Amino acid sequence: MMTIKRCVLSPGITETMAQLASGWLADRNFFHKYHYHKAYLILCGVVNLLSPLATTYFHLIVYAVFFAIFCGGYMALLLPVLVSANPCELC
């Protein structure tokens, strides 16, 4: 039962922390938010391409954590990138 909890909690907590860290990093304006967004999406795709190599439980957890990091970063920047790409003049 403990392994099921760990399997569910590890990616969930990691994605939450990645969303917070990604938002904080994007707000520092080192690079444009679009570049972070694009990098997270590409890294998410690379992790998914490597997913067939995850054949053991440990590898599946590692895959889930890395996917959660990049997916969390992508999701955190989705709305800010859309707003900056199409500014609303009536708002």
Side-chain angles (χ1 to χ4, degrees):
M1 188 56 103
M2 192 60 160
T3 57
I4 294 172
K5 288 180 184 177
R6 190 178 308 147
C7 183
V8 172
L9 286 178
S10 296
I13 293 170
T14 304
E15 185 172 0
T16 302
M17 299 310 275
Q19 286 181 352
L20 294 171
S22 175
W24 179 83
L25 186 63
D27 285 342
R28 301 293 80 129
N29 292 326
F30 295 123
F31 299 103
H32 195 271
K33 288 179 179 70
Y34 176 72
H35 297 299
Y36 287 117
H37 189 255
K38 188 169 41 172
Y40 286 132
L41 188 59
I42 290 169
L43 290 170
C44 197
V46 169
V47 169
N48 277 332
L49 286 175
L50 296 175
S51 68
L53 300 175
T55 56
T56 64
Y57 177 76
F58 176 74
H59 291 138
L60 286 173
I61 293 294
V62 170
Y63 160 75
V65 166
F66 276 102
F67 182 75
I69 290 170
F70 300 131
C71 183
Y74 169 78
M75 294 303 289
L77 295 178
L78 187 60
L79 288 177
V81 167
L82 287 175
V83 168
S84 67
N86 189 13
C88 178
E89 295 180 15
L90 299 174
C91 298

